[in-house]
Structures are given as structure tokens and as C-alpha cells.
């Protein structure tokens, strides 16, 4: 079993920055693909960023050039650095782990960007 705990959300003004963290428990972190998703009120959950076991990354078009995903396997932690935040980035952000053909999700952390 994998458990994921996110932290780092909060309230920030437009143009500001936040860094989200997601720490995993259980084994196999270094073999997993890790990702961030978000869900805004009244909308479906959407993909934000992903990093595979080899460190390759990909991003949603809406966050390219502003967000950066990274991982530290020794800490079993994945990060999402969010810069130049916009009000439309307001959402609950969820950490995702994909390993052994299973998806695991964290409980989410709220990010609110004021205009």
C-alpha cells in the first residue's frame, strides 16, 4: 500500500509562488511515476504535471513555463513549484502515484490565488 500526504497549499496573491510537497509511505517510490492533478469547484479533476522514474517530465499546456515538478527519491517526496500564479490556478491539488498498475491519491491541498 502507498499513502500520500500533500502539504504546502495556501492563499497567495496573483503573481506569487507556492511549493507543494507530497511525501509517500510504503515501498517502491523510486519505481513509481508521480503526478499532480487539480480540481477546481464545479470542474473535473485535470492533469497538471508528471515525472516518471527516470526524471522525465510533462506538463499541462496551462502551466508550462510556470510550474516545475521534481522528486527526491531518498525522501520519497515529489514537489510542485508553482510560479506566476493566476486566479485560474485556484483548486484542490492532488498528488498521484502510479506503481504496479495501481493509482494512489493523496487527500489534496487547497491552493487559492487572489486577484
Amino acid at each position: 500500500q502507498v499513502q500520500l500526504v500533500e502539504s504546502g497549499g495556501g492563499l497567495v496573491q496573483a503573481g506569487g509562488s507556492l511549493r507543494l510537497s507530497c511525501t509517500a509511505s510504503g515501498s517502491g517510490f523510486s519505481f513509481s511515476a508521480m503526478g499532480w492533478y487539480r480540481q477546481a469547484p464545479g470542474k473535473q479533476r485535470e492533469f497538471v504535471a508528471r515525472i516518471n522514474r527516470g526524471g522525465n517530465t510533462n506538463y499541462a499546456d496551462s502551466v508550462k513555463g510556470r510550474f516545475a515538478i521534481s522528486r527526491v527519491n531518498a525522501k520519497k517526496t515529489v514537489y510542485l513549484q508553482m510560479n506566476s500564479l493566476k486566479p485560474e490556478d485556484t483548486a484542490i491539488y492532488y498528488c498521484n502515484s502510479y506503481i504496479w498498475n495501481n493509482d494512489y491519491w493523496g487527500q489534496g491541498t487547497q491552493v487559492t490565488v487572489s486577484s
Side-chain angles (χ1 to χ4, degrees), residues 53-68:
R53 56 186 288 183
N56 297 309
T57 60
N58 60 304
Y59 298 91
D61 288 343
S62 58
V63 306
K64 277 182 183 176
R66 299 188 299 122
F67 290 11

Side-chain angles (χ1 to χ4, degrees), residues 3-103:
Q3 291 186 323
L4 304 171
V5 179
E6 302 102 331
S7 61
L11 173 64
V12 64
Q13 287 188 332
S17 299
L18 282 174
R19 188 177 80 156
L20 305 183
S21 300
C22 170
T23 300
S25 62
S27 61
F29 178 85
S30 60
F31 299 103
S32 64
M34 300 297 297
W36 288 95
Y37 292 72
R38 66 187 182 187
Q39 188 166 18
K43 294 187 177 182
Q44 290 188 332
R45 190 173 299 189
E46 65 176 4
F47 166 75
V48 175
R50 182 185 297 115
I51 184 167
N52 68 11
R53 56 186 288 183
N56 297 309
T57 60
N58 60 304
Y59 298 91
D61 288 343
S62 58
V63 306
K64 277 182 183 176
R66 299 188 299 122
F67 290 11
I69 188 171
S70 60
R71 64 190 295 163
V72 179
N73 289 339
K75 294 184 177 181
K76 295 185 178 180
T77 299
V78 62
Y79 303 97
L80 184 68
Q81 178 66 43
M82 307 186 294
N83 299 324
S84 302
L85 282 161
K86 304 175 181 180
E88 51 263 44
D89 294 318
T90 295
I92 299 174
Y93 283 70
Y94 296 92
C95 179
N96 169 266
S97 173
Y98 181 76
I99 185 171
W100 303 312
N101 294 321
N102 289 313
D103 270 310

